[in-house]
Coordinates of all heavy atoms in Angstrom, one line a residue:
M1 N -4.5 -27.1 -2.5 CA -3.5 -26.2 -2.7 C -3.6 -25.0 -1.7 O -4.6 -24.5 -1.5 CB -3.6 -25.6 -4.1 CG -2.3 -25.0 -4.6 SD -2.5 -24.0 -6.1 CE -3.6 -24.9 -7.1
K2 N -2.4 -24.7 -1.1 CA -2.4 -23.5 -0.2 C -2.5 -22.2 -1.0 O -1.9 -22.0 -2.0 CB -1.0 -23.5 0.5 CG -1.0 -22.6 1.7 CD 0.1 -23.1 2.7 CE 1.5 -23.0 1.9 NZ 2.3 -22.0 2.2
Q3 N -3.4 -21.4 -0.6 CA -3.7 -20.2 -1.4 C -3.5 -18.9 -0.7 O -4.1 -17.9 -1.1 CB -5.2 -20.3 -1.9 CG -5.4 -21.4 -2.9 CD -6.6 -21.1 -3.8 OE1 -7.3 -20.2 -3.6 NE2 -6.7 -21.9 -4.8
N4 N -2.7 -18.9 0.3 CA -2.6 -17.6 1.0 C -1.1 -17.2 1.3 O -0.8 -16.5 2.2 CB -3.4 -17.6 2.3 CG -3.8 -16.2 2.7 OD1 -3.5 -15.2 2.0 ND2 -4.4 -16.0 3.8
S5 N -0.2 -17.7 0.4 CA 1.2 -17.4 0.7 C 1.6 -16.1 0.0 O 1.3 -15.9 -1.2 CB 2.0 -18.5 0.2 OG 3.4 -18.1 0.2
R6 N 2.2 -15.2 0.7 CA 2.6 -14.0 0.2 C 3.7 -14.2 -0.9 O 3.9 -13.3 -1.7 CB 3.2 -13.1 1.3 CG 2.1 -12.4 2.1 CD 2.6 -11.9 3.4 NE 1.4 -11.5 4.2 CZ 0.9 -10.3 4.3 NH1 1.5 -9.3 3.7 NH2 -0.2 -10.1 5.0
K7 N 4.4 -15.3 -0.8 CA 5.5 -15.6 -1.8 C 4.9 -15.9 -3.2 O 5.6 -15.7 -4.2 CB 6.3 -16.7 -1.3 CG 7.2 -16.4 -0.2 CD 8.2 -17.6 0.1 CE 8.9 -17.3 1.4 NZ 8.7 -18.3 2.4
E8 N 3.7 -16.4 -3.2 CA 3.1 -16.9 -4.4 C 2.4 -15.9 -5.2 O 2.0 -16.1 -6.3 CB 2.2 -18.1 -4.1 CG 3.0 -19.3 -3.7 CD 2.1 -20.4 -3.1 OE1 0.9 -20.4 -3.5 OE2 2.6 -21.2 -2.3
I9 N 2.1 -14.7 -4.7 CA 1.4 -13.7 -5.4 C 2.3 -13.1 -6.5 O 3.5 -13.2 -6.5 CB 0.8 -12.6 -4.5 CG1 1.9 -11.7 -4.0 CG2 -0.1 -13.1 -3.5 CD1 1.4 -10.4 -3.4
N10 N 1.6 -12.6 -7.5 CA 2.3 -12.0 -8.7 C 2.9 -10.6 -8.4 O 2.3 -9.6 -8.8 CB 1.4 -12.0 -9.9 CG 1.0 -13.3 -10.4 OD1 1.9 -14.3 -10.4 ND2 -0.2 -13.5 -10.9
W11 N 4.0 -10.6 -7.7 CA 4.6 -9.4 -7.3 C 5.0 -8.5 -8.5 O 5.0 -7.3 -8.4 CB 5.9 -9.6 -6.5 CG 5.6 -10.0 -5.1 CD1 5.7 -11.2 -4.5 CD2 5.1 -9.1 -4.0 NE1 5.3 -11.2 -3.2 CE2 4.9 -9.9 -2.9 CE3 4.8 -7.7 -3.9 CZ2 4.5 -9.4 -1.6 CZ3 4.3 -7.2 -2.7 CH2 4.2 -8.0 -1.6
H12 N 5.3 -9.1 -9.6 CA 5.7 -8.3 -10.8 C 4.5 -7.6 -11.4 O 4.7 -6.7 -12.2 CB 6.3 -9.2 -11.9 CG 5.4 -10.3 -12.4 ND1 5.1 -11.4 -11.8 CD2 4.7 -10.3 -13.6 CE1 4.3 -12.1 -12.5 NE2 4.0 -11.5 -13.6
K13 N 3.3 -7.9 -11.0 CA 2.1 -7.2 -11.5 C 1.7 -6.1 -10.6 O 0.7 -5.4 -10.8 CB 1.0 -8.2 -11.7 CG 1.2 -9.2 -12.9 CD -0.1 -10.0 -13.1 CE 0.1 -11.0 -14.2 NZ -1.0 -11.9 -14.3
I14 N 2.4 -5.9 -9.5 CA 2.0 -4.9 -8.5 C 2.0 -3.5 -9.2 O 2.9 -3.3 -10.0 CB 2.9 -5.0 -7.2 CG1 2.2 -4.4 -6.0 CG2 4.2 -4.3 -7.4 CD1 1.6 -5.4 -5.1
P15 N 1.1 -2.6 -8.9 CA 1.1 -1.3 -9.6 C 2.4 -0.5 -9.2 O 2.9 -0.7 -8.1 CB -0.1 -0.6 -9.0 CG -1.0 -1.7 -8.4 CD -0.1 -2.8 -8.0
D16 N 2.8 0.3 -10.1 CA 3.9 1.2 -9.8 C 3.5 2.1 -8.6 O 2.5 2.7 -8.7 CB 4.2 2.1 -11.1 CG 5.3 3.1 -10.8 OD1 6.5 2.6 -10.7 OD2 5.0 4.3 -10.7
P17 N 4.3 2.1 -7.6 CA 4.0 2.9 -6.4 C 3.7 4.3 -6.7 O 2.8 4.9 -6.0 CB 5.2 2.7 -5.5 CG 5.8 1.4 -5.9 CD 5.6 1.3 -7.4
K18 N 4.4 4.9 -7.6 CA 4.1 6.4 -7.9 C 2.7 6.5 -8.4 O 2.0 7.4 -8.0 CB 5.2 6.9 -8.9 CG 6.5 7.1 -8.3 CD 7.5 7.7 -9.4 CE 8.8 7.9 -8.8 NZ 9.8 8.4 -9.8
E19 N 2.4 5.7 -9.4 CA 1.0 5.8 -10.0 C 0.0 5.5 -9.0 O -1.1 6.1 -8.9 CB 0.9 4.9 -11.2 CG 1.6 5.5 -12.4 CD 1.6 4.4 -13.6 OE1 0.7 3.6 -13.6 OE2 2.6 4.5 -14.4
Y20 N 0.2 4.4 -8.2 CA -0.8 4.0 -7.2 C -1.1 5.1 -6.2 O -2.2 5.4 -6.0 CB -0.3 2.7 -6.6 CG -1.2 2.2 -5.5 CD1 -2.4 1.5 -5.8 CD2 -1.0 2.5 -4.1 CE1 -3.3 1.1 -4.8 CE2 -1.8 2.1 -3.1 CZ -3.0 1.4 -3.5 OH -3.9 1.0 -2.5
Y21 N 0.0 5.6 -5.5 CA -0.2 6.5 -4.4 C -0.7 7.9 -4.9 O -1.4 8.6 -4.2 CB 1.0 6.6 -3.6 CG 1.3 5.4 -2.7 CD1 2.3 4.6 -2.9 CD2 0.4 5.2 -1.6 CE1 2.5 3.5 -2.0 CE2 0.5 4.1 -0.8 CZ 1.6 3.2 -1.0 OH 1.8 2.2 -0.2
L22 N -0.4 8.2 -6.2 CA -0.9 9.4 -6.7 C -2.4 9.5 -6.8 O -3.0 10.6 -6.7 CB -0.3 9.6 -8.1 CG -0.1 11.0 -8.7 CD1 0.7 11.9 -7.7 CD2 0.7 11.0 -10.0
K23 N -3.0 8.3 -6.9 CA -4.5 8.3 -7.0 C -5.1 8.7 -5.6 O -6.2 9.2 -5.6 CB -5.0 6.8 -7.3 CG -4.9 6.5 -8.7 CD -5.6 5.2 -9.0 CE -4.8 4.0 -8.6 NZ -5.3 2.7 -8.9
Y24 N -4.4 8.4 -4.5 CA -4.9 8.7 -3.2 C -4.4 10.0 -2.7 O -5.0 10.6 -1.8 CB -4.5 7.6 -2.2 CG -5.1 6.3 -2.7 CD1 -4.4 5.3 -3.4 CD2 -6.4 6.0 -2.4 CE1 -4.9 4.1 -3.8 CE2 -7.0 4.8 -2.8 CZ -6.2 3.9 -3.5 OH -6.8 2.7 -4.0
F25 N -3.2 10.5 -3.2 CA -2.6 11.7 -2.7 C -2.2 12.5 -4.0 O -1.1 12.5 -4.4 CB -1.4 11.5 -1.8 CG -1.7 10.5 -0.7 CD1 -1.2 9.2 -0.8 CD2 -2.4 10.9 0.4 CE1 -1.5 8.3 0.2 CE2 -2.6 10.0 1.5 CZ -2.2 8.7 1.4
P26 N -3.2 13.2 -4.6 CA -3.0 13.9 -5.9 C -1.8 14.9 -5.9 O -1.3 15.2 -6.9 CB -4.3 14.6 -6.2 CG -5.3 13.9 -5.3 CD -4.6 13.4 -4.1
N27 N -1.5 15.5 -4.7 CA -0.5 16.5 -4.6 C 0.9 15.9 -4.3 O 1.8 16.7 -4.0 CB -0.8 17.5 -3.6 CG -2.1 18.3 -3.9 OD1 -2.4 18.6 -5.1 ND2 -2.9 18.5 -2.9
L28 N 1.0 14.6 -4.5 CA 2.3 14.0 -4.1 C 3.5 14.5 -5.0 O 3.3 14.7 -6.2 CB 2.1 12.5 -4.5 CG 2.9 11.4 -3.7 CD1 2.5 11.6 -2.2 CD2 2.5 10.1 -4.2
K29 N 4.6 14.8 -4.2 CA 5.8 15.2 -4.9 C 6.6 14.0 -5.3 O 7.0 13.2 -4.4 CB 6.6 16.2 -4.1 CG 5.9 17.5 -3.8 CD 6.8 18.5 -3.3 CE 6.2 19.9 -3.2 NZ 4.9 19.9 -2.5
L30 N 6.9 13.8 -6.6 CA 7.5 12.6 -7.0 C 9.0 12.7 -7.1 O 9.6 11.8 -7.6 CB 6.9 12.2 -8.4 CG 5.4 11.9 -8.4 CD1 4.9 11.6 -9.8 CD2 5.0 10.8 -7.4
A31 N 9.6 13.8 -6.6 CA 11.0 14.0 -6.9 C 11.9 13.1 -6.0 O 13.0 12.8 -6.3 CB 11.3 15.4 -6.6
T32 N 11.4 12.7 -4.8 CA 12.2 12.0 -3.9 C 11.7 10.6 -3.7 O 10.5 10.3 -4.0 CB 12.3 12.7 -2.5 OG1 10.9 12.9 -2.1 CG2 13.0 14.0 -2.6
E33 N 12.6 9.7 -3.1 CA 12.1 8.3 -2.9 C 11.1 8.2 -1.8 O 10.1 7.5 -1.9 CB 13.4 7.5 -2.6 CG 13.1 6.0 -2.4 CD 14.3 5.1 -2.2 OE1 15.4 5.6 -2.5 OE2 14.2 4.0 -1.7
W34 N 11.3 9.0 -0.7 CA 10.4 9.0 0.4 C 9.6 10.3 0.3 O 10.1 11.4 0.2 CB 11.1 8.9 1.7 CG 11.6 7.5 2.1 CD1 12.9 7.1 1.9 CD2 10.9 6.5 2.7 NE1 13.0 5.8 2.3 CE2 11.8 5.4 2.8 CE3 9.6 6.3 3.2 CZ2 11.4 4.2 3.4 CZ3 9.2 5.1 3.7 CH2 10.1 4.0 3.8
V35 N 8.3 10.2 0.5 CA 7.4 11.4 0.5 C 6.6 11.3 1.8 O 6.3 10.3 2.3 CB 6.5 11.5 -0.7 CG1 7.4 11.8 -1.9 CG2 5.7 10.3 -0.9
K36 N 6.2 12.5 2.3 CA 5.3 12.6 3.5 C 4.0 13.1 3.1 O 3.8 14.1 2.4 CB 6.0 13.5 4.5 CG 7.0 12.8 5.3 CD 7.4 13.6 6.6 CE 7.9 12.7 7.7 NZ 8.1 13.5 8.9
V37 N 2.9 12.4 3.6 CA 1.6 12.9 3.3 C 0.8 12.8 4.7 O 1.2 12.2 5.6 CB 0.9 11.9 2.3 CG1 1.5 12.0 0.9 CG2 0.8 10.5 2.8
V38 N -0.4 13.4 4.6 CA -1.3 13.4 5.8 C -1.8 12.0 5.9 O -2.4 11.4 4.9 CB -2.4 14.4 5.6 CG1 -3.5 14.2 6.7 CG2 -1.9 15.8 5.7
C39 N -1.7 11.4 7.0 CA -2.1 10.0 7.2 C -3.6 9.8 7.2 O -4.3 10.4 7.9 CB -1.5 9.5 8.6 SG -2.0 7.7 8.9
P40 N -4.1 8.9 6.3 CA -5.5 8.7 6.2 C -6.0 7.7 7.3 O -7.2 7.5 7.4 CB -5.7 8.0 4.9 CG -4.4 7.3 4.6 CD -3.3 8.1 5.3
F41 N -5.1 7.2 8.1 CA -5.6 6.2 9.1 C -5.7 6.7 10.5 O -6.0 5.9 11.4 CB -4.6 5.0 9.1 CG -4.4 4.4 7.7 CD1 -3.2 4.2 7.1 CD2 -5.5 4.0 7.0 CE1 -3.0 3.7 5.8 CE2 -5.4 3.4 5.7 CZ -4.1 3.3 5.1
H42 N -5.4 7.9 10.7 CA -5.7 8.5 12.0 C -6.0 10.0 11.8 O -5.8 10.5 10.7 CB -4.6 8.3 13.1 CG -3.3 9.2 12.9 ND1 -2.3 8.9 12.1 CD2 -3.0 10.4 13.5 CE1 -1.4 9.8 12.1 NE2 -1.8 10.8 13.0
D43 N -6.4 10.7 12.8 CA -6.8 12.1 12.7 C -5.5 12.9 12.7 O -5.0 13.4 13.7 CB -7.7 12.5 13.9 CG -8.2 14.0 13.7 OD1 -8.1 14.5 12.6 OD2 -8.6 14.6 14.7
D44 N -4.9 13.0 11.5 CA -3.6 13.6 11.3 C -3.6 15.1 11.1 O -4.4 15.6 10.2 CB -2.9 12.9 10.1 CG -1.4 13.1 10.2 OD1 -0.9 13.6 11.2 OD2 -0.7 12.7 9.2
K45 N -2.8 15.9 11.8 CA -2.8 17.3 11.6 C -1.6 17.7 10.7 O -1.6 18.7 10.0 CB -2.6 18.0 13.0 CG -3.8 17.7 13.9 CD -5.0 18.6 13.7 CE -6.0 18.3 14.7 NZ -6.8 17.0 14.5
T46 N -0.5 17.0 10.8 CA 0.7 17.2 10.0 C 0.9 16.0 9.1 O 0.4 14.9 9.5 CB 1.9 17.4 10.9 OG1 2.0 16.3 11.8 CG2 1.8 18.7 11.7
P47 N 1.7 16.1 8.1 CA 2.0 14.9 7.3 C 2.8 13.9 8.1 O 4.0 14.2 8.3 CB 2.7 15.4 6.1 CG 2.4 16.9 6.0 CD 2.2 17.3 7.4
S48 N 2.2 12.9 8.6 CA 2.9 11.9 9.4 C 3.3 10.6 8.7 O 4.0 9.8 9.2 CB 2.1 11.5 10.7 OG 1.8 12.6 11.4
L49 N 2.6 10.4 7.6 CA 2.8 9.2 6.8 C 3.9 9.3 5.8 O 3.8 10.1 4.9 CB 1.5 8.8 6.2 CG 1.4 7.3 5.6 CD1 1.3 6.3 6.7 CD2 0.3 7.2 4.6
S50 N 4.9 8.5 5.9 CA 6.0 8.4 4.9 C 5.8 7.3 4.0 O 5.5 6.2 4.4 CB 7.4 8.2 5.6 OG 7.7 9.4 6.4
I51 N 5.8 7.6 2.7 CA 5.6 6.5 1.7 C 6.9 6.4 0.9 O 7.5 7.4 0.5 CB 4.4 6.9 0.8 CG1 3.1 6.9 1.5 CG2 4.4 6.0 -0.4 CD1 2.0 7.4 0.7
N52 N 7.3 5.2 0.6 CA 8.4 5.0 -0.3 C 7.9 4.7 -1.7 O 7.2 3.7 -2.0 CB 9.3 3.8 0.2 CG 10.5 3.6 -0.6 OD1 10.5 3.3 -1.8 ND2 11.7 3.8 0.0
L53 N 8.3 5.6 -2.6 CA 7.8 5.5 -4.0 C 8.5 4.5 -4.9 O 8.2 4.3 -6.0 CB 7.8 6.9 -4.7 CG 6.9 7.9 -4.0 CD1 7.1 9.3 -4.7 CD2 5.4 7.5 -4.0
K54 N 9.6 3.9 -4.3 CA 10.3 2.9 -5.0 C 9.7 1.5 -4.8 O 9.4 0.8 -5.7 CB 11.8 2.9 -4.6 CG 12.7 3.3 -5.7 CD 14.1 3.2 -5.3 CE 15.1 3.7 -6.4 NZ 16.4 3.9 -5.9
H55 N 9.6 1.1 -3.5 CA 9.0 -0.2 -3.2 C 7.6 -0.2 -2.7 O 7.0 -1.3 -2.5 CB 10.0 -1.0 -2.3 CG 10.2 -0.3 -0.9 ND1 9.2 0.0 0.0 CD2 11.4 0.1 -0.4 CE1 9.8 0.5 1.0 NE2 11.1 0.6 0.8
G56 N 7.0 1.0 -2.4 CA 5.6 1.1 -2.0 C 5.3 0.9 -0.6 O 4.2 0.9 -0.2
G57 N 6.4 0.7 0.2 CA 6.2 0.6 1.7 C 5.8 1.9 2.3 O 6.0 3.0 1.7
Y58 N 5.2 1.9 3.5 CA 4.8 3.1 4.1 C 4.9 2.9 5.7 O 4.9 1.8 6.2 CB 3.3 3.5 3.8 CG 2.3 2.5 4.4 CD1 1.7 2.8 5.6 CD2 1.9 1.4 3.7 CE1 0.8 1.9 6.2 CE2 1.0 0.5 4.3 CZ 0.5 0.8 5.5 OH -0.4 -0.1 6.1
I59 N 5.1 4.0 6.4 CA 5.1 4.0 7.8 C 4.6 5.3 8.4 O 4.9 6.4 7.9 CB 6.6 3.7 8.3 CG1 6.6 3.7 9.9 CG2 7.6 4.7 7.8 CD1 7.8 3.0 10.4
C60 N 3.7 5.2 9.4 CA 3.2 6.4 10.0 C 4.0 6.7 11.3 O 4.1 5.8 12.1 CB 1.7 6.2 10.3 SG 1.0 7.7 11.2
R61 N 4.5 7.9 11.4 CA 5.3 8.3 12.6 C 4.3 9.0 13.6 O 4.8 9.6 14.6 CB 6.4 9.3 12.2 CG 7.2 8.8 11.0 CD 8.5 8.1 11.5 NE 9.3 7.7 10.3 CZ 10.1 6.6 10.3 NH1 10.2 5.9 11.4 NH2 10.7 6.2 9.2
G62 N 3.1 9.1 13.3 CA 2.1 9.7 14.1 C 1.4 8.7 15.1 O 2.0 7.7 15.3
E63 N 0.2 9.1 15.5 CA -0.5 8.3 16.5 C -0.7 6.8 16.1 O -0.5 5.9 17.0 CB -1.9 8.9 16.7 CG -2.0 9.9 17.8 CD -3.4 10.5 17.7 OE1 -4.4 9.8 17.7 OE2 -3.4 11.8 17.6
C64 N -1.1 6.5 14.9 CA -1.5 5.2 14.6 C -0.4 4.2 14.4 O -0.6 3.0 14.5 CB -2.5 5.2 13.4 SG -1.7 5.5 11.8
K65 N 0.8 4.7 14.1 CA 2.0 3.8 14.0 C 1.9 2.7 12.9 O 2.5 1.7 13.0 CB 2.4 3.2 15.3 CG 2.6 4.2 16.4 CD 4.0 4.7 16.6 CE 4.2 5.5 17.8 NZ 4.2 7.0 17.5
T66 N 1.0 2.9 12.0 CA 0.8 1.8 11.0 C 1.9 1.8 10.0 O 2.6 2.8 9.8 CB -0.6 2.0 10.2 OG1 -0.7 0.9 9.4 CG2 -0.6 3.3 9.4
K67 N 2.2 0.6 9.6 CA 3.3 0.4 8.5 C 3.0 -0.8 7.7 O 2.3 -1.7 8.2 CB 4.7 0.4 9.1 CG 4.9 -0.7 10.1 CD 6.4 -0.7 10.6 CE 6.6 -1.8 11.6 NZ 7.9 -1.8 12.1
G68 N 3.6 -0.9 6.5 CA 3.4 -2.1 5.7 C 3.8 -1.8 4.3 O 4.5 -0.8 4.0
N69 N 3.3 -2.7 3.4 CA 3.7 -2.5 2.0 C 2.4 -2.0 1.2 O 1.4 -1.7 1.8 CB 4.2 -3.8 1.4 CG 3.2 -5.0 1.6 OD1 2.0 -4.8 1.8 ND2 3.7 -6.2 1.4
L70 N 2.5 -2.0 -0.1 CA 1.4 -1.4 -0.9 C 0.1 -2.3 -0.7 O -1.0 -1.7 -0.7 CB 1.9 -1.4 -2.3 CG 1.0 -0.6 -3.3 CD1 1.9 0.0 -4.4 CD2 -0.1 -1.4 -3.9
I71 N 0.3 -3.6 -0.6 CA -0.9 -4.4 -0.4 C -1.6 -4.1 0.9 O -2.8 -4.0 1.0 CB -0.5 -5.9 -0.5 CG1 0.0 -6.2 -1.9 CG2 -1.7 -6.8 -0.1 CD1 0.5 -7.7 -2.1
K72 N -0.8 -3.9 1.9 CA -1.4 -3.6 3.2 C -2.1 -2.3 3.2 O -3.1 -2.1 3.8 CB -0.3 -3.7 4.3 CG -0.8 -3.3 5.7 CD -0.3 -4.3 6.8 CE -0.9 -3.9 8.1 NZ 0.1 -3.4 9.0
F73 N -1.4 -1.3 2.5 CA -2.1 0.0 2.4 C -3.5 -0.2 1.7 O -4.5 0.4 2.2 CB -1.2 0.9 1.6 CG -1.8 2.3 1.4 CD1 -1.5 3.3 2.3 CD2 -2.7 2.6 0.4 CE1 -2.1 4.6 2.2 CE2 -3.3 3.9 0.3 CZ -2.9 4.9 1.2
H74 N -3.5 -0.9 0.7 CA -4.7 -1.2 -0.1 C -5.8 -1.9 0.8 O -7.0 -1.5 0.8 CB -4.5 -2.0 -1.3 CG -5.5 -1.9 -2.4 ND1 -5.7 -0.7 -3.1 CD2 -6.4 -2.8 -2.8 CE1 -6.7 -0.9 -4.0 NE2 -7.1 -2.1 -3.8
M75 N -5.3 -2.8 1.6 CA -6.2 -3.5 2.5 C -6.9 -2.5 3.5 O -8.1 -2.5 3.7 CB -5.5 -4.6 3.3 CG -5.1 -5.8 2.5 SD -3.9 -6.8 3.4 CE -4.8 -7.5 4.8
R76 N -6.0 -1.7 4.1 CA -6.5 -0.7 5.2 C -7.4 0.3 4.5 O -8.4 0.7 5.1 CB -5.3 -0.1 5.9 CG -4.6 -1.0 6.8 CD -3.9 -0.3 7.9 NE -4.9 0.4 8.8 CZ -4.6 1.0 9.9 NH1 -3.4 1.0 10.4 NH2 -5.5 1.6 10.6
R77 N -6.9 0.8 3.4 CA -7.6 2.0 2.8 C -9.0 1.6 2.3 O -9.9 2.4 2.4 CB -6.8 2.4 1.6 CG -7.2 3.7 0.9 CD -7.1 4.9 1.8 NE -7.6 6.1 1.1 CZ -8.8 6.4 0.8 NH1 -9.7 5.5 1.0 NH2 -9.1 7.5 0.2
H78 N -9.2 0.3 1.9 CA -10.5 -0.1 1.4 C -11.1 -1.2 2.3 O -12.1 -1.8 1.9 CB -10.3 -0.7 -0.1 CG -9.9 0.4 -1.0 ND1 -10.7 1.3 -1.6 CD2 -8.6 0.6 -1.6 CE1 -10.0 2.1 -2.4 NE2 -8.7 1.7 -2.4
N79 N -10.5 -1.4 3.4 CA -11.1 -2.3 4.4 C -11.3 -3.7 3.8 O -12.4 -4.3 3.8 CB -12.4 -1.8 4.9 CG -12.7 -2.2 6.3 OD1 -11.8 -2.8 7.0 ND2 -13.9 -1.9 6.8
L80 N -10.2 -4.2 3.1 CA -10.3 -5.5 2.5 C -9.4 -6.5 3.2 O -8.5 -6.1 3.9 CB -9.7 -5.4 1.0 CG -10.5 -4.5 0.1 CD1 -9.6 -4.3 -1.2 CD2 -11.9 -5.0 -0.2
G81 N -9.7 -7.8 3.0 CA -8.8 -8.8 3.5 C -7.6 -9.0 2.5 O -7.6 -8.4 1.4
F82 N -6.7 -9.8 2.9 CA -5.5 -10.0 2.0 C -5.8 -10.5 0.6 O -5.4 -9.9 -0.4 CB -4.5 -10.9 2.7 CG -3.2 -11.2 1.9 CD1 -2.3 -10.2 1.8 CD2 -3.0 -12.4 1.3 CE1 -1.1 -10.4 1.0 CE2 -1.9 -12.6 0.5 CZ -0.9 -11.6 0.4
V83 N -6.6 -11.5 0.5 CA -7.0 -12.1 -0.8 C -7.7 -11.1 -1.6 O -7.4 -10.9 -2.8 CB -7.8 -13.4 -0.6 CG1 -8.3 -13.9 -2.0 CG2 -7.0 -14.4 0.1
E84 N -8.7 -10.4 -1.0 CA -9.5 -9.4 -1.7 C -8.6 -8.3 -2.2 O -8.8 -7.8 -3.4 CB -10.6 -8.8 -0.8 CG -11.8 -9.8 -0.6 CD -11.4 -10.9 0.3 OE1 -10.6 -10.7 1.2 OE2 -11.9 -12.0 0.1
A85 N -7.7 -7.8 -1.4 CA -6.8 -6.7 -1.8 C -5.9 -7.2 -3.0 O -5.7 -6.4 -3.9 CB -5.9 -6.3 -0.6
C86 N -5.4 -8.4 -2.9 CA -4.6 -8.9 -4.0 C -5.4 -9.0 -5.3 O -4.9 -8.7 -6.4 CB -4.1 -10.3 -3.7 SG -2.7 -10.3 -2.4
K87 N -6.6 -9.5 -5.2 CA -7.5 -9.5 -6.4 C -7.7 -8.1 -7.0 O -7.7 -7.9 -8.2 CB -8.8 -10.2 -6.1 CG -8.6 -11.7 -5.9 CD -10.0 -12.4 -5.6 CE -9.8 -13.9 -5.4 NZ -11.0 -14.5 -4.8
S88 N -8.0 -7.2 -6.1 CA -8.3 -5.8 -6.5 C -7.1 -5.2 -7.2 O -7.2 -4.4 -8.1 CB -8.7 -5.0 -5.3 OG -8.7 -3.7 -5.6
L89 N -5.9 -5.6 -6.7 CA -4.7 -5.0 -7.3 C -4.2 -5.8 -8.5 O -3.2 -5.4 -9.2 CB -3.5 -5.0 -6.3 CG -3.7 -4.0 -5.1 CD1 -2.7 -4.3 -4.0 CD2 -3.5 -2.6 -5.6
G90 N -4.8 -6.9 -8.8 CA -4.5 -7.7 -10.0 C -3.2 -8.6 -9.8 O -2.6 -9.0 -10.7
V91 N -2.9 -8.9 -8.5 CA -1.7 -9.7 -8.2 C -2.0 -11.1 -7.7 O -1.1 -11.9 -7.4 CB -0.7 -9.0 -7.2 CG1 -0.2 -7.7 -7.8 CG2 -1.4 -8.8 -5.9
W92 N -3.3 -11.4 -7.6 CA -3.7 -12.7 -7.1 C -3.5 -13.8 -8.2 O -4.0 -13.6 -9.3 CB -5.2 -12.7 -6.6 CG -5.6 -14.0 -5.9 CD1 -6.5 -14.9 -6.3 CD2 -5.1 -14.4 -4.6 NE1 -6.6 -15.9 -5.4 CE2 -5.7 -15.6 -4.3 CE3 -4.1 -13.9 -3.7 CZ2 -5.5 -16.3 -3.2 CZ3 -3.9 -14.6 -2.6 CH2 -4.6 -15.8 -2.3
P93 N -2.7 -14.8 -7.9 CA -2.3 -15.7 -9.0 C -3.3 -16.8 -9.4 O -3.1 -17.5 -10.3 CB -1.0 -16.4 -8.4 CG -1.2 -16.4 -7.0 CD -2.1 -15.2 -6.6
Y94 N -4.4 -17.0 -8.6 CA -5.3 -18.1 -8.8 C -6.6 -17.6 -9.5 O -7.1 -16.5 -9.2 CB -5.7 -18.7 -7.5 CG -4.5 -19.1 -6.7 CD1 -4.1 -18.4 -5.5 CD2 -3.7 -20.2 -7.0 CE1 -2.9 -18.7 -4.8 CE2 -2.6 -20.6 -6.3 CZ -2.2 -19.8 -5.2 OH -1.1 -20.2 -4.5
A95 N -7.1 -18.5 -10.3 CA -8.4 -18.2 -11.0 C -9.5 -18.5 -9.9 O -9.2 -19.2 -8.9 CB -8.6 -19.1 -12.2
E96 N -10.6 -18.0 -10.2 CA -11.8 -18.2 -9.2 C -12.1 -19.7 -9.2 O -12.1 -20.3 -10.2 CB -13.0 -17.4 -9.7 CG -12.8 -15.9 -9.6 CD -12.7 -15.4 -8.1 OE1 -13.2 -16.2 -7.2 OE2 -12.2 -14.4 -7.8
Ligands
LIG1 ZN1 -1.3 7.4 11.0

C-alpha cells in the first residue's frame, strides 16, 4: 500500500489553525483571517510571516521566503519528516 499520499491523510482531523498557531505565537490577534508574526525560520526583525487562520497556510515575505500549509509549518518548526509531522498532528491514517 502506498503510504505517503497527501490526499489520503485525515485532513478533517487537522488542528484548528487558530488554536494551533496560538501555541507558537501567544500574542496572536485572532480578529482577522491573515495575521503577521515574527518569522521563526530566519533572523526576522519585523513580522514577516503571514499566517492564514482559516486554512492554516503561511508565507514569509522576508529573507527565507518559506511557505506552505500547517503540516509543512509543523515539519519545519520541529524538524520532522512528512510522516512524522502527520503522526504528531494526529492526521496520519495508518496504524503502526
Ligand atoms: Zn522567514
Side-chain angles (χ1 to χ4, degrees):
M1 198 194 321
K2 194 160 57 104
Q3 291 206 351
N4 204 3
S5 168
R6 283 162 191 264
K7 287 185 189 122
E8 291 168 23
I9 68 163
N10 290 326
W11 282 105
H12 64 282
K13 289 187 182 170
I14 203 101
D16 177 71
K18 285 183 183 178
E19 283 173 30
Y20 176 80
Y21 284 114
L22 207 51
K23 281 191 283 186
Y24 299 97
F25 308 103
N27 298 321
L28 213 56
K29 291 194 172 54
L30 301 176
T32 52
E33 184 176 340
W34 284 96
V35 290
K36 277 194 153 187
V37 295
V38 173
C39 179
F41 305 126
H42 77 274
D43 186 19
D44 199 7
K45 303 277 185 282
T46 55
S48 301
L49 190 77
S50 294
I51 293 174
N52 185 296
L53 297 176
K54 246 183 184 166
H55 58 62
Y58 69 93
I59 180 164
C60 179
R61 314 258 179 214
E63 267 172 56
C64 72
K65 308 269 185 258
T66 182
K67 61 178 175 181
N69 58 20
L70 194 149
I71 294 174
K72 178 132 183 253
F73 182 91
H74 201 68
M75 288 167 68
R76 289 206 63 169
R77 186 67 180 68
H78 297 283
N79 214 6
L80 300 170
F82 178 71
V83 174
E84 286 69 35
C86 286
K87 286 179 179 170
S88 168
L89 291 167
V91 298
W92 190 244
Y94 307 104
E96 290 295 334

